[in-house]
Amino acid sequence: MELLSVDHMTKIFGGLVAVDDLSFTVERASIVGLIGPNGAGKTTVFNCITGNYRPEQGSVVFDGQNILGKHPHEIVELGIARTFQSIRLFSDLPSLENVLAGRHCRMHSGMLSCLFHTRGQKKEENAAVARCMEELAFVGLAHHWQDAAGSLSYGNQRLLEIARALATDPKLLILDEPAGGMNDHETRALVETILAIRKRGITILLIEHDMRLVMKICEKLVVLEHGSRIAEGDPVKVRQDPAVVEAYLGSASEEW
Ligand SMILES: Nc1ncnc2c1ncn2[C@@H]1O[C@H](COP(=O)(O)OP(=O)(O)O)[C@@H](O)[C@H]1O
Ligand SMILES: [Mg+2]
């Protein structure tokens, strides 16, 4: 049973067809990798799913509902959270505040209760702080809760983005190059974190160039080239697919 279904998605920038009639599905509680050379259209697909871009054609059905045309904040509320290829954090604010920014979408206190510091609001705030501390601990950053996000190492900033995304209570977590800029040690720890996220019942769709990571954790790969799907399925089979081998050899780097 799929959680996400992308059907015939097309996204055009000016004359450039960045995503070309793309269809794929993400099964519940699975880890799916979206791979392909630079410029293949991977991040654009993510932006179309999360409501940051509106595709010209196609549909995106999430948890039984067509989410095309919804605003990014509505899509977060429905249960899709993401991290970004280029890190987006409030770098001057403490790590905890960054995670709280994610939790905000699940809080109900209105302006009046905030102004007057009602008991209900205080209770909700305390619960949010406790929950966000749990997410920081989950990604291994509990001891950094007071540190400004910008002072963390690059790898830890990526983990902080994951903690912020988890604080939104996602059903689907979308990760855009989570291992980008990480060293081998950090990447190995990231693998454990991603597997632990899936154990919580959260479905994961990720873009990643590190093929070792992708082959280790993904149950399914979707391969994009020039905006089109050239392969989809079991990672071992996909890797041997002649079209994928050709696209892989044609790309400049050893890693995607
Ligand atoms: N906002 C945009 N405006 C114009 N062109 C864009 C925009 N975003 C992406 N593109 C173009 O779309 C293509 C796919 O980009 P992208 O989705 O970032 O690829 P990938 O993530 O696979 O490297 C590229 O040619 C890129 O230059
Ligand atoms: Mg990208």
Side-chain angles (χ1 to χ4, degrees):
M1 187 40 189
E2 67 243 18
L3 178 63
L4 181 81
S5 173
V6 170
D7 289 299
H8 300 288
M9 177 191 281
T10 295
K11 176 70 200 166
I12 302 171
F13 296 112
L16 175 87
V17 184
V19 181
D20 191 358
D21 197 31
L22 174 70
S23 300
F24 68 93
T25 56
V26 177
E27 287 64 38
R28 278 175 204 273
S30 68
I31 303 178
V32 174
L34 182 61
I35 65 169
N38 271 331
K42 305 178 298 295
T43 298
T44 303
V45 172
F46 277 14
N47 282 323
C48 290
I49 294 171
T50 56
N52 297 89
Y53 293 159
R54 184 161 192 164
E56 274 68 34
Q57 274 175 44
S59 69
V60 180
V61 176
F62 173 68
D63 212 8
Q65 190 179 352
N66 192 350
I67 59 168
L68 207 73
K70 291 196 182 295
H71 289 285
H73 72 267
E74 294 174 305
I75 291 175
V76 172
E77 281 169 15
L78 287 172
I80 301 182
R82 73 176 296 179
T83 64
F84 295 89
Q85 184 174 348
S86 48
I87 292 169
R88 295 190 197 175
L89 291 164
F90 300 110
S91 52
D92 295 333
L93 291 181
S95 300
L96 176 61
E97 294 289 335
N98 275 275
V99 184
L100 278 164
R103 188 65 198 160
H104 199 249
C105 74
R106 297 291 174 211
M107 294 168 75
H108 306 291
S109 294
M111 217 171 51
L112 279 181
S113 55
C114 286
L115 275 177
F116 296 110
H117 296 293
T118 62
R119 203 186 299 171
Q121 187 241 344
K122 192 70 206 154
K123 206 168 149 192
E124 185 176 48
E125 207 175 284
N126 288 342
V129 167
R131 169 63 191 278
C132 292
M133 284 301 293
E134 276 171 30
E135 296 300 357
L136 279 173
F138 180 82
V139 299
L141 293 179
H143 54 296
H144 283 300
W145 70 278
Q146 288 176 301
D147 298 340
S151 73
L152 303 182
S153 71
Y154 200 71
N156 281 344
Q157 290 189 34
R158 289 214 174 271
L159 292 174
L160 182 56
E161 277 210 324
I162 292 177
R164 179 178 60 189
L166 289 172
T168 69
D169 277 341
K171 293 180 187 142
L172 174 67
L173 177 63
I174 295 188
L175 305 170
D176 197 343
E177 300 195 21
M182 284 190 174
N183 62 34
D184 278 358
H185 175 72
E186 289 170 326
T187 302
R188 274 196 296 276
L190 176 71
V191 165
E192 297 309 317
T193 302
I194 293 175
L195 292 174
I197 292 170
R198 193 256 296 273
K199 270 208 183 118
R200 288 168 57 169
I202 299 169
T203 306
I204 293 162
L205 172 62
L206 62 94
I207 294 172
E208 187 46 65
H209 289 285
D210 185 330
M211 285 303 280
R212 281 170 310 173
L213 180 148
V214 166
M215 297 302 290
K216 208 181 285 174
I217 63 174
C218 294
E219 276 108 27
K220 177 163 113 175
L221 295 182
V222 178
V223 189
L224 272 191
E225 193 190 21
H226 304 306
S228 297
R229 188 191 67 191
I230 57 167
E232 175 178 5
D234 174 69
V236 177
K237 287 197 189 120
V238 162
R239 252 217 113 159
Q240 292 161 353
D241 188 306
V244 176
V245 172
E246 195 172 321
Y248 190 72
L249 292 176
S251 77
S253 81
E254 279 293 297
E255 287 190 337
W256 270 4

